Amino acid sequence: MNKVILMGRLTRDPEVRYSQGENATAIARYTLAVDRRMSRNNQNGDQTADFIQCVAFGRSGEFAERYLHKGTKVVVTGRIQTGSYTNKDGQRVYTTDVVVEDQEFAESKNAAAQNNGGGGYVPADRPSPRDAGDGFMNIPEGIDEELPFN
């Protein structure tokens, strides 16, 4: 069985290309920085990470292009795929990628905004919700009629 589950942050924005032909398919490539668990050999408390290449095709690639950005924390499910090619110097290069089958956000918009310097999305016609300090957010005035559970 070839199944991989990873959680990490994108090291840069996804690089997206589209295949040639009548049915162009999105191909998104990005790198995840996945923290390693602390080991007994690491006495200094230094955090280490693995940088894992991911590739998403089709709708997953389009999702990555639209919603994933540098610093976004995601959970990726997929499979490992190896390959090789000959570079322009004539040397054989071996590759290992995770082919993405599913990708999900691993943190809330508010947490992402705090970690990314406040880059969260708030519609221009609505006030920004304020944190009440008790783990719940206050609902701004004027949108309570839109809530389905009044």
Side-chain angles (χ1 to χ4, degrees):
M1 177 184 290
N2 184 354
K3 189 76 160 181
V4 176
I5 301 171
L6 301 168
M7 182 169 58
R9 292 189 185 278
L10 273 72
T11 60
R12 57 185 164 80
D13 289 349
E15 178 183 308
V16 182
R17 297 182 181 177
Y18 285 84
S19 64
Q20 299 288 327
E22 190 175 308
N23 295 325
T25 301
I27 303 166
R29 293 187 168 278
Y30 55 87
T31 303
L32 279 186
V34 179
D35 289 333
R36 291 184 186 176
R37 292 183 181 232
M38 299 301 262
S39 67
R40 293 184 190 145
N41 298 337
N42 188 355
Q43 301 297 327
N44 299 337
D46 296 333
Q47 190 113 29
T48 58
D50 292 304
F51 298 91
I52 301 173
Q53 304 296 317
C54 299
V55 60
F57 296 97
R59 296 191 89 162
S60 292
E62 293 169 7
F63 178 88
E65 179 179 33
R66 185 170 296 136
Y67 298 111
L68 302 185
H69 305 285
K70 178 180 178 179
T72 304
K73 190 173 189 178
V74 294
V75 174
V76 170
T77 305
R79 61 183 170 82
I80 292 178
Q81 179 173 291
T82 60
S84 65
Y85 63 93
T86 304
N87 68 12
K88 54 187 163 188
D89 297 329
Q91 295 183 337
R92 196 78 169 155
V93 177
Y94 295 93
T95 62
T96 302
D97 293 313
V98 171
V99 177
V100 175
E101 294 169 355
D102 187 40
Q103 53 198 351
E104 301 176 19
F105 295 107
E107 64 186 354
S108 69
K109 285 184 184 180
N110 288 338
Q114 290 173 355
N115 290 326
N116 295 333
Y121 170 74
V122 175
D125 63 336
R126 293 198 181 154
S128 173
R130 285 183 219 88
D131 187 4
D134 57 1
F136 295 95
M137 81 176 188
N138 291 326
I139 299 173
E141 294 296 321
I143 67 165
D144 56 342
E145 64 275 357
E146 296 177 27
L147 298 176
F149 48 83
N150 278 347

